[in-house]
Amino acid sequence: MKAITLALLGPLAASAAAAPAGACLNAPGTMHAGSLAVTPVPSPIPMGKPFALQIVPCNAAPERLTVDAVMPAHRHGMNYHPKVIKTKNGFRAEGLLFHMPGEWEFVFDLRFMDGRSERITHRIVVK
Amino acid sequence: MRGLLLIFLVLLPVSAQAWTEAEREQILSFGPWPPEAARDSSNRLSGNPAAIALGAALFSETRLSPGGIACISCHQPQKGWGDGLARSKGMQQLDRNAPSVMNAHLSRWFGWDGASDSLWAASIRPILDEREMASSAERVAATIRSDAALTCQFEKVAGTAPQHLVDEAVMVLGAKAIAAFQETLTSGRTPFDDYRDALARGENAPYPEAAKRGLKIFLDSACAACHTGPSFSNGEFHDTGLPYFMQNGRPDPGRYEGIKRVRANPYNRLSRYSDDPDSGFTVRHVALLHRNWGEFKTPSLRNLRHTAPYMHDGSKATLIEVIRHYSELDEDRLHVDGEAILRPLRLDEASIRDLAVFLETLSASNVPDAASLERWAEEARKCRK
């Protein structure tokens, strides 16, 4: 699984830099993680305080989406389980908290109606 | 002239620490101090002066326990609001060090294992614990009802006499008042705060060179990964490489058991006694993980001068001993599948002393004392209908 994640990092890092095509929202603070437009609430993400993510798929909407985050350098994840709910435009993940400063990696697992699955990762630095 | 300038430049790093922009930003993140007062929405008595007075009186009320143990027995003003013992003693010998309640209200979790998610729930826990105060809701309610001044002050706070409420409701309101009092225990400013604020203004402030060198070690090492923010604590839980076993030979599961307990706690933020169940983010979302076994809460580094001994088991008598522990850390003891944060610091003696000097500058000379407790408590004791 780690190898798959690492393999995805290269192209995703590139796609994160450019806004994807489609009807994605591009609100202030929005991150483009692969085919997802991800807006933290509040933005920027505060260190040591709860936050949520508004997630809008730019292409085909997955049937199911889970969100997690890890600190690769520290080899640990969050101490909290986020809950993802469907919204009119996509998904909202609640219950995230970054308890340490440094580089965090979001991990989005998407499952589509046709049985396909996709993992998208996106790294940010929290101060 | 050029020769003199070179000599001056060589000496500069010793006599005046020049911070990089990233270091400066990190130093500024340890303030400002004191933080803005924030009320606990799960406690409707938070910030209420009458409740603070009632809480102060209850804090030192020995009749709450059949063994004459009060909150103040283990949280003594003259001992930094701890008890100065390695492992605390209530009705029985306990397994952990009594954490200071000074600045405790700034926490997300309470206790070394975070078994409580609010200061009022953390105040109920020792009251009911057989090893600590061995009390009960019945006893707390009876104590308040049998004392005219406490009854008067309770009625002023709750809007109704304790005789009109069930025992459990009286105990919860009493604990919320105790929490309201503890919220007043914010320590004063420190030499570090003055240095930090001067840095923010782009000015110089007197600060020992050894402390600056110690601060540099603190920033460069893993210390600043967990000891973050104005409290110098991320408020979460980590394995610090201390022995798993307590004096009686049993392991201390730490956070692993703490998460189970806070979820099952009938007084957590999601409970019917919470005044704001929406504030229960932490207990609603907290994850129980294998690595939580043997993790303990990151303590604040403020006021260490007043709160020895250190660590969750009180096993380190001095700051130098604590630093040596992290300097010579036994990596084999840490979880193989746990966090990869701690590495032995491998500090030489001079660096150990510098780091200790820096930590000393995080202690305030102006801390809440017994007189501040008495002033509040006296107000409650004078209450008459």
Side-chain angles (χ1 to χ4, degrees), chain A residues 1-13 105-110 117-123:
Chain A
M1 181 58 83
K2 189 171 276 184
I4 295 171
T5 308
L6 289 173
L8 280 168
L9 277 174
L12 283 171
E105 181 179 270
F106 285 114
V107 181
F108 302 96
D109 281 316
L110 292 69
S117 61
E118 184 183 356
R119 169 164 285 192
I120 294 174
T121 58
H122 183 80
R123 291 190 179 193

Side-chain angles (χ1 to χ4, degrees), chain A residues 86-108:
Chain A
K86 275 192 172 177
T87 62
K88 192 177 162 192
N89 296 326
F91 300 87
R92 181 180 170 90
E94 290 179 342
L96 296 99
L97 189 147
F98 289 160
H99 61 281
M100 296 175 98
E103 188 180 54
W104 283 85
E105 181 179 270
F106 285 114
V107 181
F108 302 96

Side-chain angles (χ1 to χ4, degrees), chain A residues 44-125:
Chain A
I45 294 169
M47 216 286 288
K49 291 194 174 147
F51 66 95
L53 295 175
Q54 303 274 18
I55 304 159
V56 180
C58 302
N59 303 320
E63 183 196 13
R64 201 163 155 263
L65 181 144
T66 61
V67 180
D68 204 351
V70 294
M71 273 193 112
H74 289 173
R75 218 174 58 199
H76 67 69
M78 291 186 297
N79 291 339
Y80 301 89
H81 279 312
K83 183 182 174 189
V84 180
I85 51 172
K86 275 192 172 177
T87 62
K88 192 177 162 192
N89 296 326
F91 300 87
R92 181 180 170 90
E94 290 179 342
L96 296 99
L97 189 147
F98 289 160
H99 61 281
M100 296 175 98
E103 188 180 54
W104 283 85
E105 181 179 270
F106 285 114
V107 181
F108 302 96
D109 281 316
L110 292 69
R111 190 157 186 91
F112 296 90
M113 285 288 276
D114 60 8
R116 273 185 312 120
S117 61
E118 184 183 356
R119 169 164 285 192
I120 294 174
T121 58
H122 183 80
R123 291 190 179 193
I124 62 162
V125 174

Side-chain angles (χ1 to χ4, degrees), chain B residues 171-336:
Chain B
M171 178 190 70
V172 170
L173 281 170
K176 286 183 175 177
I178 292 172
F181 163 67
Q182 290 174 88
E183 287 171 359
T184 67
L185 303 177
T186 304
S187 60
R189 286 176 58 79
T190 68
F192 169 80
D193 295 321
D194 292 341
Y195 179 66
R196 179 256 174 216
D197 288 2
L199 200 63
R201 295 190 301 267
E203 297 169 4
N204 241 329
Y207 194 56
E209 291 302 320
K212 290 179 193 171
R213 292 193 298 269
L215 172 55
K216 173 76 175 154
I217 295 166
F218 184 81
L219 298 178
D220 289 346
S221 68
C223 308
C226 301
H227 292 284
T228 56
S231 293
F232 287 86
S233 168
N234 65 357
E236 293 289 329
F237 303 82
H238 300 277
D239 179 4
T240 54
L242 288 171
Y244 283 128
F245 294 95
M246 300 178 284
Q247 279 179 328
N248 54 19
R250 285 184 295 110
D252 188 340
R255 181 57 171 158
Y256 193 81
E257 200 58 34
I259 292 175
K260 290 184 183 174
R261 286 168 61 197
V262 73
R263 282 175 170 171
N265 191 332
Y267 307 108
N268 70 27
R269 284 175 177 270
L270 303 177
S271 73
R272 67 194 176 106
Y273 286 108
S274 169
D275 295 315
D276 181 13
D278 287 343
S279 71
F281 160 85
T282 48
V283 69
R284 188 179 289 122
H285 290 281
V286 68
L288 182 63
L289 307 166
H290 175 67
R291 70 166 162 82
N292 294 135
W293 184 272
E295 287 184 338
F296 294 90
K297 189 175 157 190
T298 309
S300 169
L301 299 181
R302 285 189 178 268
N303 307 305
L304 293 173
R305 194 191 301 156
H306 310 290
T307 58
Y310 308 107
M311 313 303 273
H312 72 272
D313 57 1
S315 58
K316 308 298 175 197
T318 65
L319 283 179
I320 294 288
E321 281 184 39
V322 175
I323 297 169
R324 272 195 216 291
H325 166 73
Y326 288 110
S327 187
E328 299 157 10
L329 197 67
D330 177 8
E331 286 184 275
D332 292 338
R333 207 327 259 112
L334 297 170
H335 272 302
V336 285

